[in-house]
Amino acid sequence: MPPKPAALLPDLAPWRSSRDFRLLWVQGLVTYLGSVMALIALPLQIKDLTGSPLAVGVMGAVELVPLVVFGLYGGALADAVDRRKVIVLTEAGLGLLAAVLLLNALLPRPMLWPLYVVAAGVAALAGLQRPALDSLLVRIVPHDQLPAAAALNALRWQAGAIGGPALAGLVVAYAGNVPAYATTVVCFLASVWMCRRLSPAPPVEHAGRPSLRGIAEGARYAWSRPVLLGTYAVDLAAMFFAFPNTVFPFLADELDADWALGLMYSAGAVGSLLVSLTSGWVSRTRRHGLLVVFGAAGWGLAIAAAGWTANIWLVLACLALAGAGDMLSGLGRSTIWNQTIPDRLRGRLAGIEVLSYSIGPQLGQVRSGAMAGWTGARPAIWTGGVACVATVGLLATALPKLLSYDARTDEDALRRAGQVTGPGAPDAQGFGPAPAVEEPSKP
């Protein structure tokens, strides 16, 4: 019997049950709408100043080191201090960097080097902020509503990702960079105001100070969990080989379709939105590892098709299919992380997650930009898609526990839900039976 239409609609339980979730949802939408203006304007400005695909791709390399360093430190920070405070301060910092872009664009002859400096600063602040944001979800949403919350967060992103890039493309094309950057500044001001209204999110009792030892503890936990390793590795491979956003301006030139640049950036979100609008089934799914693998493989296959075809409408359709695959994989990853990771390690593991889904796109920008300068945009895209499919298949074969993950039987998921307790259950690190009295973590 086919599912009833109502069963496919998004589950709104997190929205109804949590004021902080509603506030964070709206704040995230406002932030994204502002950020996407800069996301479109920045590479286009570099392209206009240099005319080089490699110069655009280098932006990913500039962002890489700050993202790695501050992403790991941000994870430790999220476990040690009030997560709301981290979010407010970093959001204010991002607004200041947007103001720098605005001031540079107002110059009679805008300079190139501030664009790279701001890109590095944004990566650093995003690395600090994202673990606090990601780890906050398990504090404000009941455990059984986490899959629904992940779907609603994805829906929020898609609402901005569909209209945002198309609008930003029009703004930049017809009004220039200054209005785009000014919109970004205003959105971050509104976001800071909303973040200040969130409830405090203090660290767990006996939380230690941010330290290399604390970061290493989180890394050991991740390394001891093949399912977690699989989610990180699959996403890293998919983004490294098949993240073509950097070369979209050059693809639009090759296809004589400059008018479609904004649509290229937003097409993936259309496919993601179709998945989210029918995401009611996610709350009833237990095999989230399958979503991770098949979603990532579908992403790569669709990206390969987008690079192979020379018809702009087929390119947009393929990018939409890629977005649907990425959405499935993202829902699986987010749910596994929130279902299995203990709260005292959630920030540090969120820092590792930031690296897994951010380093890939940064390196992917360098890869696709460099290859596009050598072969052209289309070969750079389709060869990356083929490599993505092959690599995801190899990873799935090497990490079978990811494919077999089931929330009904996985010990970490059951323990996180409170269904595995007592002295015979593995401890929070999974290194054997729990002691009678857990000693506090030392800095």
Side-chain angles (χ1 to χ4, degrees):
M1 175 184 254
K4 296 180 181 179
L8 296 176
L9 295 177
D11 184 355
L12 298 179
W15 182 272
R16 291 191 294 265
S17 65
S18 173
R19 168 192 171 275
D20 280 342
F21 179 80
R22 294 192 297 271
L23 193 58
L24 209 59
W25 196 94
V26 176
Q27 174 271 333
L29 179 61
V30 172
T31 296
Y32 186 83
L33 287 173
S35 299
V36 77
M37 288 286 178
L39 180 70
I40 302 296
L42 190 56
L44 277 175
Q45 192 173 15
I46 296 176
K47 173 180 177 288
D48 291 340
L49 291 173
T50 67
S52 167
L54 181 58
V56 179
V58 165
M59 187 172 65
V62 169
E63 295 169 336
L64 183 58
V65 173
L67 188 62
V68 171
V69 174
F70 288 93
L72 289 174
Y73 182 76
L77 191 67
D79 283 335
V81 302
D82 190 313
R83 293 169 184 174
R84 182 188 65 169
K85 184 179 297 185
V86 175
I87 294 169
V88 171
L89 292 177
T90 52
E91 201 75 354
L94 290 167
L96 288 175
L97 291 177
V100 172
L101 290 177
L102 175 59
L103 292 174
N104 184 59
L106 288 169
L107 295 175
R109 303 181 72 175
M111 296 178 288
L112 178 62
W113 66 265
L115 305 183
Y116 291 117
V117 171
V118 168
V122 168
L125 289 174
L128 283 175
Q129 182 192 77
R130 193 57 185 263
L133 272 174
D134 288 351
S135 59
L136 188 61
L137 187 65
V138 296
R139 293 279 190 94
I140 63 178
V141 174
H143 182 81
D144 61 343
Q145 295 177 11
L146 288 173
L152 289 176
N153 279 340
L155 186 61
R156 174 198 66 194
W157 173 82
Q158 291 140 13
I162 291 174
L167 177 61
L170 291 174
V171 169
V172 173
Y174 294 103
N177 295 321
V178 171
Y181 293 142
T183 302
T184 303
V185 172
V186 172
C187 287
F188 273 110
L189 288 174
S191 176
V192 169
W193 177 78
M194 284 185 280
C195 288
R196 287 176 58 86
R197 299 182 62 200
L198 290 169
S199 301
V204 296
E205 190 177 359
H206 304 305
R209 293 172 297 179
S211 66
L212 290 177
R213 181 178 178 180
I215 294 173
E217 181 185 10
R220 286 197 303 271
Y221 180 88
W223 186 258
S224 70
R225 298 299 192 271
V227 173
L228 292 180
L229 284 179
T231 63
Y232 304 149
V234 166
D235 190 48
L236 183 64
M239 294 297 103
F240 172 73
F241 288 112
F243 189 77
N245 290 29
T246 293
V247 299
F248 280 169
F250 302 94
L251 178 62
D253 287 345
E254 288 186 16
L255 299 180
D256 195 24
D258 291 344
W259 56 269
L261 179 60
L263 296 178
M264 289 182 187
Y265 283 108
S266 60
V270 173
S272 298
L273 179 63
L274 294 177
V275 173
S276 292
L277 290 176
T278 57
S279 63
W281 56 272
V282 173
S283 298
R284 300 181 295 276
T285 298
R286 299 295 179 267
R287 299 292 301 276
H288 299 101
L290 291 175
L291 293 183
V292 174
V293 171
F294 287 108
W299 156 270
L301 188 62
I303 290 296
W308 186 261
T309 182
N311 183 289
I312 183 59
W313 295 108
L314 289 178
V315 169
L316 295 174
C318 290
L319 292 176
L321 289 175
D326 188 45
M327 180 75 258
L328 289 175
S329 185
L331 285 175
R333 292 193 310 271
S334 178
T335 301
I336 289 173
W337 296 339
N338 287 325
Q339 283 182 339
T340 63
I341 298 171
D343 190 52
R344 75 180 188 87
L345 293 173
R346 191 66 191 89
R348 279 164 283 180
L349 270 294
I352 295 174
E353 291 154 19
V354 167
L355 303 187
S356 78
Y357 59 66
S358 298
I359 287 180
Q362 307 311 321
L363 292 177
Q365 289 184 82
V366 179
R367 184 209 67 82
S368 60
M371 189 168 180
W374 176 41
T375 66
R378 289 177 58 201
I381 293 172
W382 74 258
T383 55
V386 171
C388 167
V389 175
T391 306
V392 168
L394 290 174
L395 288 170
T397 302
L399 297 166
K401 286 191 175 182
L402 176 61
L403 283 175
S404 63
Y405 172 83
D406 191 324
R408 295 166 296 188
T409 58
D410 184 85
E411 286 190 0
D412 290 325
L414 293 173
R415 181 168 54 250
R416 185 70 182 81
Q419 297 180 37
V420 175
T421 59
D427 68 6
Q429 292 180 321
F431 296 139
V437 178
E438 185 177 354
E439 296 182 1
S441 299
K442 300 181 178 61

